[in-house]
Amino acid sequence: MNVRLTSLLLGLPALFLAPMAHADSMQLNLTRGVTDISEKVYNLHMLVFWICVVIGVIVFAAMFWSILRHRKSRGVTPAKFHDNVKVEIAWTVIPFLILVAMAVPATITLIEMDDTSDSDMSVLVTGSQWRWHYSYLDYDIEFMSNMATPREQIYGRLPRTENYLLEVDRPMVVPTGKKIRLLITSDDVIHSWWVPEFAVKKDANPGYINEAWFRVDEPGIFRGQCAELCGRDHAFMPVVVIAKDPADFEAWAQGEEQRLADRRAEEERLLGMEMSKDELMQLGQQIHMSQCAACHQPNGQGVPGVFPGLVGQGIAVNDQTAHIDVVWNGVSGSAMQSFRNTLTMSEIAAVITYQRNAWGNNTGDVVQAADVHHFSQGNQ
Amino acid sequence: MSTEKNNPQKYYVPDQSIWPLVGSVALGLIAFGAGHFTIEYSNQEAGFGHWVLLAGLVVLCIMLVGWFGDQIRESRAGLYNAQLGRSYRQGMLWFIFSEVMFFLAFFGALFYARMIAVPWLGGAGNNEMTNQILWDGFQAIWPLTTTPDGTETQAMGWFGLPLINTIILVISSVTLHFAHVGLEEGKRKKLMNWLFVTIALGLIFLGLQMYEYVHAYRDLGLTLQSGIYGNTFFLLTGFHGLHVTLGAILLIVMFFRCKAGHFNKDDQFAFEASAWYWHFVDVVWICLFVFVYIM
Amino acid sequence: MSTVVTDTHSAHDAHDHHDHKPTGIKRWLFTTNHKDIGTMYLWFSFIMFLVGGSMALMIRAELFQPGMQIVDPHFFNQMTTMHGVIMVFGAVMPAFVGLANWMIPLMIGAPDMALPRMNNWSFWILPFAFMIMLSSFFMPGGAPAFGWTFYAPLSTTYSTDSTALFVFSMHIMGMSSIMGAINVIVTIMNMRAPGMTYMKMPLFVWTWFITAFLLIAVMPVLAGVVTMVLTDKYFGTHFFDAAGGGDPVLFQHLFWFFGHPEVYIMILPSFGIVSAIIPAFARKPLFGYASMVYATASIAGLSFLVWAHHMFTTGMPTFASLFFMYMTMLIAVPTGVKVFNWVTTMWRGAMSFETPMLFAIAFVVLFTIGGLSGIMLAITPVDYQYHDTYFVVAHFHYVLVTGAVFSIMAAAYYWLPKWSGVMYDDFLSKLHFWSSLISVNILFFPMHFVGLAGMPRRIPDYALQFADINAIVSIGGFLFGFSQLIFLAVVVKAAMKKGEPAPAKPWEGAEGLEWTVPSPAPYHTFDVPPQVK
Ligand code: HEA
Ligand code: HEA
Ligand code: CUA
Ligand SMILES: [Cu+2]
């Protein structure tokens, strides 16, 4: 965009290096986004930006003029004036008027952004360390959305791919042309749900629900991130939204409802079955890596003083029921959340089995979905 | 003497003093000790925290005695002048102002909880969904006797003990004023008697406050843990109580200094400062009584 | 403003029996001398600047390229947090208090600060506070990792053990600040030389006077809010927890009620410094002295009404957002008055460009850039996009580094001859200026671009499209960091008295009482107040 001109005007030639070399391949300005609102926000941004540039240019021009012309080395004699009421009134009033000129469109846009009434659809978005949970209030759909970028890429063992850090296992899906109301909240600390292309950024405050809305007109994939420091993996909490034509969306929604129903049926079925230890270990490792490793680390060592290690110490090598309890109920007042709504019973059984036998824990314990079920019955 | 005293040419700049450094060591030990003590307390493990904290408090006491001792000696030696007296008075006033702001933070929390947080949890404003989805069935009332997560407690009424305490504290401000008048008039007997009454009232106040806490914990289930109502209640009254304690200690010191004949009409900064502090603590209580107990 | 001194008394000083300097370590430990205390504050702040800066370089090293290379994410958060805390509370604030200690008594013709013993206490608390804070690096779980803004519940339920140490060291640091501020206020109200009326005071004194009021108004609020964090984490209260009827956003309101005035605490004294230096080197009286005073006061007043501009995304009611947006924008008016006054002071002056002036000019330009991005941030609907991105990081480093820190360097060069008695090394100082100026812009300007393009702050790893700019930024960071070693060299050289002896008034156009005493300033000055006409 106009970035080149801008930096020039701001009088900082040293900085061209960056923008100039890649001006076309690199985004250097705010996105225009894909919604009405984001377009308005972009225009507002450019308006304010140019006003600031003009002010800057005038102020710095006056200054550099005197630096060039009114210097001692040119033998000038300094003037003596040190007051001028008229000028001072002018430069109080004019900026004030400029500010009013910026405030008016800002106010109008803000009021529009904050108006969540008359929405077509509501989605409850819950942040938790470090994933997003989406629950469609008008459908029987809910799921967790975890970052999909593998650790190997982060630690440089695999080449980084295009959407590095901005890809998730299950994106949020919305229909185009509909006003989507987001009900944003959190399970633990404050997160912030942000998709630049919608110009929506709203904090997810635990215990409160904030509302926001957007309406996308064209199908597409839109990426964003958590925008509030929420602990260790704050950087690894992306948001991906896919907008689909209403028909495609309905198809997706039905498929998703079906998937969840199947999952519940499968859950029922597995309750009556035993899985072999190998199966459990394999599934358990998968679950551990995707759900638990962020805190307890892939090798189970945890982060001393922050997240307990699970190797050779504590609950993971002692009481099996306590282990189920921790995963089923979470530990209130700590980052260890309840996984009862995130994982199926067989998955919980698997991850517990895994933790109790991996990394040299070798307790030999095998936990089955039925054990978890049994625990949950006694518990409610 | 009086010309010397009002001569701005001679502002007393004390020579080197060890006490500021001792004071810093004390605060360092207290902060370090209190920090570790808190951690150990909450992890329920044994440690050195409380010893360090204790050491810090001891050093702090030594520092206070030493520093104020120097101060008193210099003042008695006539080294101070009116300008220095003004410095002390202004310093004290601004210190009290900072204390006002400290209480304001807690009052701010109280007002916010009452007028914003709790109503929002109950669905007011744009928080309808907060109540519906997260805290279904929660009722916003103040005092908050049932928290969103269902902790129950009873509210502390204003009639009875709190009212008596208010009366006691207001009277103590008046008696302290009488004592001050006694000092101004040079009537030592009057000064000593009224000062004694003030201190006694202060201590009674503290005793009753303690009793009220016991009552709250034992009979009302009102504890530091019982939700925002109990939190604001105990933090406000607790910090106020701490300030009353401090004020009472100041007054007790003043009592002994008066006894030793330290003050007179012109030279009474320490007494005045303690009195201001006491009046300030009194005003805070009145705000507390209105906003925490009555409303 | 112009001050004319009729009674200088340097002759008097020589005979004063007071003018013996205590020697050895005791001089520094037990001192009640405002100059010694000022010097200690300045050195302390410089050390903290290096410590905090090294943490910044750790951040920049990790961010040099995408992926995790050097540190663990948790440690990265500790770095960010401690960098912010140390720079704000350890580097910038103590530097200003040091300058206040040195210069306010000299500028108003007082023999010392009003409460000299308390002055020493204020200083010596700081090393202890920071030792405690830094000691938490050695605890299990490490130092605080919740950002310098320590938002609950990340700092309460979800923080590591070190929180208690953080809280208590904040407490004693706050005590130090409050005592320092009381001292400044009392000194200014009560110790001015005869004839030094309020409207004759140098602007540095004025701005510090107002800053001190801000300090005693908001440091106690910080103390209150850290106390609530402590009780929430360790003693079962629910101030910031909805389950007990509290609200995490309450924390933010209390914090920013402190935090916004706090950022002005870090810039108002800069305004004073620049208002002293520009007229001196433009050889022309400051334009609009009175309006400068009123503008400073209005900025301070308004600073209490804008705090929630840091919280636009927290879901405040629309009318509240609007109120805070309007109030925030309003601050541009008095700040603009100041900028225009400085420019007009230069206008038709006879300027020369010694190092202090270079830094002052850079300050005016770069601070204005930071201020203008501040105005952009104030526009609520657009702040939804900027908030918590590197655009904010760029904004506040422009106002803090090229604002506050540059002004501190300008002040150091301006008054170094008075402090040390020798002129600083001119070549090195110019080298320091130019390398700092260039590198600081390579460091912070491109942050605007990544911010706008969508890079969040407080992340140890980022998406690939931000890679090139981050590499440039990191290079700038290292260049800027190493440039500060030149400054260290200049200061050490002057402190060792290597350099041309400085006259009492080394700057042709400088005004004020501090230039009426010899260089270096005698240990005791103005034992007998000068008469100011
Ligand atoms: C010295 C410190 C300092 C100073 C002086 C300022 C000055 C200002 N700041 Fe800044 N700010 C910070 C330090 C500072 N800030 C910090 C540390 C943060 C981040 C905290 C964190 O989250 O960690 C922050 C964050 C911050 C935010 C929150 C951003 C976010 O998190 O989303 C906002 C939003 O409004 C803001 C606004 C402003 C404004 C309007 C000013 C104004 O005072 C600027 C006024 C100056 C000018 C405007 C330029 C000169 C004027 C003219 C030439 C006149 C004509 C101009 C016009 C008519 C526009 N700041
Ligand atoms: C006055 C305050 C101040 C100052 C001076 C600085 C100075 C610098 N800051 Fe920052 N900064 C803040 C206040 C300040 N900062 C605050 C408040 C935050 C927010 C924290 C938060 O999010 O909670 C922040 C955050 C912040 C971030 C964002 C971190 C994140 O979001 O994760 C970054 C990233 O680049 C950064 C960089 C720098 C750099 C490179 C400097 C440089 O200017 C530093 C230069 C100085 C030196 C480098 C030291 C001197 C040199 C040496 C000691 C020799 C060389 C040494 C080695 C090679 C080891 N700072
Ligand atoms: Cu979630 Cu940051
Ligand atoms: Cu602010």
Side-chain angles (χ1 to χ4, degrees), chain A residues 55 59 95 98-99 102, chain C residues 148-149 256 260 263-264 266-267 309-310 312 328 331-332 335-336 339-340 367-368 371-372 374-375 377-378 383 387-388 392 395-396 399-400 457-458:
Chain A
I55 292 173
V59 173
I98 297 175
L99 293 171
M102 297 194 272
Chain C
W148 84 285
T149 51
W256 288 115
H260 188 81
V263 306
Y264 289 129
M266 293 187 283
I267 204 70
H309 64 211
H310 299 272
F312 285 141
T328 306
I331 292 194
T335 319
V339 172
F340 300 139
F367 167 78
T368 303
L372 292 172
I375 289 302
L377 291 167
D383 181 66
H387 177 68
D388 263 323
V392 178
H395 157 68
F396 68 72
V399 281
L400 279 169
R457 59 191 282 211
R458 295 166 165 173

Side-chain angles (χ1 to χ4, degrees), chain C residues 463-484:
Chain C
L464 299 178
Q465 68 262 35
F466 309 126
D468 293 353
I469 294 187
N470 269 295
I472 292 169
V473 166
S474 290
I475 292 169
F478 278 86
L479 290 177
F480 182 70
F482 284 113
S483 303
Q484 304 322 307

